Amino acid sequence: MSAFRDDLLAGKTAFIAGGTSGINLGIAKRFAELGAKVAVAGRNPDKAAKAAEEIGRGARGYSCDVRDYAATRTVMEQVVEAFGRLDIVISGAAGNFLAPALGMSANAFRTVVDIDLDGTFNVFRGCYDLLQKPGASLIAITAPQAVNPMMLQIHACAAKAGINQVIRVLAMEWGPDGVRVNGISPGPIAGTEGMARLSPDEEASARSKGRIALRRWGEIGEVAESAVFLCSESAAYVTGTILDCDGGSQLGDAGGQGLG
Ligand code: COA
């Protein structure tokens, strides 16, 4: 159940990098429902077109690889040409796979760091002069791996830790112009490619839920609500923060074992 009024984002334009699937597509849909004009971008042009159709309400799909600064910048210019302004930017493109460090080539490590960390820099650096200032809101999708080291994910841990610092530094540098920069760190969210990769069978899923304070995985729509909050006037004094939308899963093992 949402606490936000239906026209909350009317008059705003949002660009969502990685918005062609998963959590980011959920955010895009919610923004559109609340009246924003929405543009999503992903690597695959067909997927981008399909996502735009699914979002409806005049949403547009663009194709670019966030690892390519010039291509990403060009797409954001096209968004402003199409919609006339840019108020909200989400950097959500990410890549991940499970592998031990010794099973990972230098290129494999670099690939994930490039998509996640360099991609976030490219999206945010590239959008800055296109933003409505004051009042613009930027959100990077980070992850618990930024803070909690996880085996088999050295690339994602390094990349997400970097993203958290990108958020904080940009919040400091761009705050004086009225640009807020925040992050969302989703915990385990049902129906995402990430969870399919990280928790592939029922036994692993049950173990994962048993360790979460709220005893369940989150919903994509619940992460979208966090994004709406951070972009809304209700968060006007919130910048440089990372919002954990994770059911308390980072509080430690909530499996009820105690010390015994
Ligand atoms: N184990 C070890 N190495 C792996 C791997 C795995 N499971 N998957 C990919 N790699 C390596 C590749 O072998 C390659 O290294 P090499 O050139 O030394 O052989 C390197 O990673 C790049 O792979 P490539 O497939 O060329 O990159 P890509 O840009 O096409 O794909 C990925 C990016 C690897 C992140 C891919 O998993 C992807 O696109 N995922 C979709 C998005 C996603 O992961 N979403 C979940 C987000 S939580």
Side-chain angles (χ1 to χ4, degrees):
M1 244 274 284
S2 175
F4 299 112
R5 49 165 223 274
D6 288 350
D7 63 346
L8 189 84
L9 299 178
K12 310 264 189 201
T13 296
F15 172 71
I16 297 140
T20 53
S21 65
I23 288 173
N24 299 297
L25 176 57
I27 292 173
K29 284 182 184 165
R30 190 69 188 123
F31 283 0
E33 279 170 13
L34 295 176
K37 291 178 177 153
V38 167
V40 293
R43 266 192 290 176
N44 180 325
D46 294 338
K47 220 172 137 184
K50 202 168 147 267
E53 205 181 303
E54 200 180 319
I55 297 162
R57 301 170 201 259
R60 289 179 175 238
Y62 295 84
S63 148
C64 68
D65 188 329
V66 293
R67 289 173 281 191
D68 181 339
Y69 177 84
T72 306
R73 162 77 192 182
T74 298
V75 160
M76 291 191 286
E77 284 170 353
Q78 289 167 353
V79 171
V80 173
E81 257 170 55
F83 290 132
R85 57 189 289 149
L86 186 59
D87 305 271
I88 297 167
V89 174
I90 311 281
S91 172
N96 200 1
F97 54 82
L98 295 180
L102 294 179
M104 209 182 277
S105 67
N107 189 45
F109 180 84
R110 185 167 44 241
T111 297
V112 170
V113 172
D114 264 0
I115 298 170
D116 292 30
L117 178 56
D118 296 39
T120 296
F121 176 83
N122 291 342
V123 169
F124 286 174
R125 172 70 182 83
C127 76
Y128 189 74
D129 66 316
L130 302 171
L131 293 172
Q132 289 290 321
K133 299 185 274 290
S137 175
L138 313 186
I139 300 175
I141 306 300
T142 176
Q145 288 93 319
V147 182
N148 308 319
M150 291 186 201
M151 290 198 299
L152 312 181
Q153 294 187 64
I154 192 169
H155 44 10
C157 290
K160 298 294 192 183
I163 289 175
N164 284 15
Q165 290 296 60
V166 165
I167 290 165
R168 296 177 181 118
V169 171
L170 294 184
M172 294 167 82
E173 292 193 4
W174 295 350
D177 293 332
V179 175
R180 297 185 298 106
V181 188
N182 291 293
I184 296 176
S185 176
I189 303 299
T192 57
E193 188 179 337
M195 282 318 284
R197 284 172 188 241
L198 302 180
S199 215
D201 55 56
E202 262 187 37
E203 206 187 315
S205 305
R207 259 201 322 273
S208 149
K209 288 171 190 166
R211 287 193 296 260
I212 300 170
L214 292 183
R215 289 294 189 277
R216 64 175 178 87
W217 288 353
E219 304 288 333
I220 287 176
E222 291 174 320
V223 183
E225 293 296 295
S226 292
V228 173
F229 165 69
L230 286 175
C231 293
S232 73
E233 276 300 304
S234 300
Y237 202 52
V238 180
T239 196
T241 197
I242 316 279
L243 177 57
D244 294 325
C245 180
D246 70 349
S249 57
Q250 289 185 75
L251 298 173
D253 186 347
Q257 307 300 316
L259 290 174

